[in-house]
């Protein structure tokens, strides 16, 4: 657990929505006017994306002066994070929870403890609840969701692969997913397949799990290449995974510029690879901006101000959610909001 005092600005461009209200069930009877303490429950504090969410939460400290953020390590373990929600709710030491969920479905059962304790929760990256594509809060205690439609974003990546494969038969595809046990990784995989499986020339020859880790993904791709030395497409939902897979592919003598290679997350290395023409596309997230937006809504909830229930994370950055070299050439200053 890493604690840090933070001065947090609540002004964030691009967070307007027509869905705004004072969230009553998690707002204290007397709105708090003093210091605000926020628990940031990271899916993993060792992960670059989560660090960028945290950095965003503390980025504009000078405009507040009375907000403190403490980050908890979820260790990419759903039970650990479930326990953290309940512990934070029971401690009475925190006024709000900023959540980057591991298992967004399973953790929903822990959120009522926060609601009962009058601790508002803002979820980022994924909605919390049984409906994976419903961004409006589904669980009492969630006051706002800062996320995008993951299913639609994943389909957009796969559609780029379909276009690339138009003149290839067969067009051999390898998929790298974080962990299929996580609901959203399973959703991503199904979204890819819903697009790819409608084209008889496209053959998904392998699906590996990269666990959002370079070394794990390098080994996974080495194993895939042993059985499938000829690949045309690599669909990956995480930049760290694509970076690891790239090492395996290039060690095997593969020129990535002749393939359709994707990543997910929009980290700084990924943007460099797309600019260089080695990766065909990347699905970009804006975790630093997401952290800012989430803290804004938390403090609004704690202080009895209107809360924006849904903030479309796709709208938080200067580039579209799917970037190619051509798009990045039009945005020469964009470098990505986070580092691996």
């Amino acid at each position: 657990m890493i604690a840090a005092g933070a001065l947090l600005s609540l002004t964030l461009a691009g967070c307007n929505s027509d869905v705004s209200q004072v969230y009553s069930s998690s707002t204290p009877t007397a709105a708090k006017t003093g210091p605000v303490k926020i628990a940031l429950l990271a899916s993993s504090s060792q992960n670059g994306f989560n660090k960028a969410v945290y950095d965003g939460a503390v980025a504009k400290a000078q405009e507040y002066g009375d907000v403190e953020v403490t980050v908890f390590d979820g260790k990419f373990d759903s039970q650990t994070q479930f326990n953290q929600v309940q512990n934070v709710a029971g401690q009475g030491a925190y006024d709000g929870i900023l959540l980057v969920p591991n298992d967004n479905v399973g953790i929903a059962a822990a959120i009522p403890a926060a609601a009962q304790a009058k601790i508002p929760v803002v979820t980022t990256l994924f909605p919390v609840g049984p409906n994976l594509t419903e961004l409006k809060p589904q669980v009492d205690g969630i006051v706002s969701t800062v996320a995008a439609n993951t299913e639609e974003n994943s389909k957009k990546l796969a559609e780029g692969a379909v276009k690339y494969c138009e003149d290839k038969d067969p067009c051999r595809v390898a998929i790298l997913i974080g962990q299929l046990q996580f609901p959203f990784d399973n959703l991503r995989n199904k979204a890819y397949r819903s697009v790819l499986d409608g084209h008889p020339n496209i053959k998904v020859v392998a699906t590996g799990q990269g666990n959002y880790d370079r070394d794990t993904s390098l080994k996974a791709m080495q194993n895939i290449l042993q059985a499938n030395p000829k690949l045309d497409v690599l669909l990956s939902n995480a930049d760290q995974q694509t970076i690891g897979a790239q090492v395996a592919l290039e060690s095997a003598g593969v020129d990535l510029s002749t393939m359709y290679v994707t990543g997910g997350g929009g980290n700084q290395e990924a943007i460099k690879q797309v600019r260089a023409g080695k990766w065909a596309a990347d699905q970009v997230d804006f975790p630093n901006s997401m952290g800012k937006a989430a803290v804004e809504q938390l403090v609004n909830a704690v202080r009895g101000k209107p809360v924006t229930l849904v903030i479309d994370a796709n709208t938080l950055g200067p580039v579209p959610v799917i970037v190619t070299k051509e798009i990045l050439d039009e945005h020469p200053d964009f470098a990505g909001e986070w580092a691996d």
Side-chain angles (χ1 to χ4, degrees):
M1 185 173 70
I2 305 168
L7 310 174
L8 298 172
S9 168
L10 295 190
T11 302
L12 179 69
C15 290
N16 295 325
S17 171
D18 58 358
V19 185
S20 183
Q21 69 178 38
V22 175
Y23 189 85
S24 59
S25 65
S26 289
T27 300
T29 303
K32 186 168 184 176
T33 57
V36 175
K37 293 185 177 182
I38 294 173
L40 194 162
L41 307 189
S43 53
S44 169
S45 64
Q46 308 306 309
N47 171 265
F49 187 97
N50 283 260
K51 183 180 182 300
V53 173
Y54 174 77
D55 289 343
V58 300
K60 297 197 174 180
Q62 297 176 358
E63 298 197 22
Y64 252 135
D66 59 352
V67 175
E68 181 179 284
V69 176
T70 302
V71 60
F72 293 77
D73 184 5
K75 301 179 180 179
F76 279 136
D77 182 80
S78 57
Q79 188 61 51
T80 295
Q81 197 171 59
F82 188 100
N83 294 341
Q84 287 171 346
V85 172
Q86 294 190 316
N87 291 340
V88 168
Q91 288 174 7
Y94 297 95
D95 303 298
I97 294 174
L98 195 166
L99 179 65
V100 186
N102 280 315
D103 178 357
N104 70 298
V105 175
I107 205 168
I111 301 300
Q116 186 175 6
K118 300 296 184 182
I119 299 174
V121 180
V122 172
T123 180
T124 62
L125 188 60
F126 303 131
V128 166
N131 188 334
L132 304 185
T133 59
E134 176 56 73
L135 297 183
K136 291 181 182 179
Q138 305 172 48
V139 180
D140 188 34
I142 301 289
V143 302
S144 180
T145 301
V146 184
N149 189 316
T150 297
E151 182 178 48
E152 292 304 314
N153 286 351
S154 299
K155 286 181 177 180
K156 289 176 182 177
L157 268 187
E159 287 164 0
V162 169
K163 184 175 181 180
Y164 169 85
C165 288
E166 283 179 351
D167 299 324
K168 293 182 180 293
D169 190 3
C171 190
R172 304 169 184 88
V173 177
I175 295 174
L176 271 182
I177 290 291
Q179 292 188 36
L180 287 172
Q181 65 174 332
F182 291 154
F184 262 92
D185 282 345
N186 192 37
L187 177 68
R188 288 175 171 124
N189 187 50
K190 288 181 177 179
Y192 293 155
R193 296 302 298 259
S194 71
V195 173
L196 301 176
D197 290 350
H199 301 271
N201 65 309
I202 296 177
K203 311 296 181 184
V204 177
V205 298
T207 301
Q209 297 185 81
N211 197 34
Y212 300 90
D213 179 76
R214 295 188 187 201
D215 292 339
T216 302
S217 300
L218 188 158
K219 293 175 183 176
M221 182 52 64
Q222 287 174 331
N223 292 336
I224 289 172
L225 286 170
Q226 285 182 357
N228 306 278
K230 171 61 177 175
L231 294 173
D232 301 294
V233 174
L234 170 61
L235 280 180
S236 167
N237 74 294
D239 295 334
Q240 306 98 311
Q241 295 169 176
T242 308
I243 292 167
Q246 179 173 352
V247 174
L249 287 163
E250 291 182 335
S251 295
V254 177
D255 180 358
L256 267 68
S257 66
T258 66
M259 296 178 59
Y260 187 87
V261 175
T262 75
N267 73 20
Q268 293 167 5
E269 181 60 29
I271 298 303
K272 290 178 182 178
Q273 294 299 324
V274 176
R275 286 193 187 279
K278 289 193 173 184
W279 298 11
D282 197 63
Q283 184 257 301
V284 179
D285 292 315
F286 309 101
N288 190 281
S289 298
M290 291 166 67
K292 294 176 184 177
V295 167
E296 179 179 12
Q297 301 313 312
L298 272 176
V299 177
N300 283 350
V302 170
R303 293 183 169 164
K305 297 180 180 180
V307 175
T308 304
L309 301 183
V310 176
I311 295 174
D312 183 355
N314 284 351
T315 67
L316 295 180
V319 297
V321 65
I322 306 297
V323 297
T324 61
K325 185 179 187 306
E326 291 73 22
I327 289 173
L328 291 176
D329 286 344
E330 297 172 0
H331 297 83
D333 296 329
F334 181 72
E337 285 198 355
W338 60 291
D340 184 15

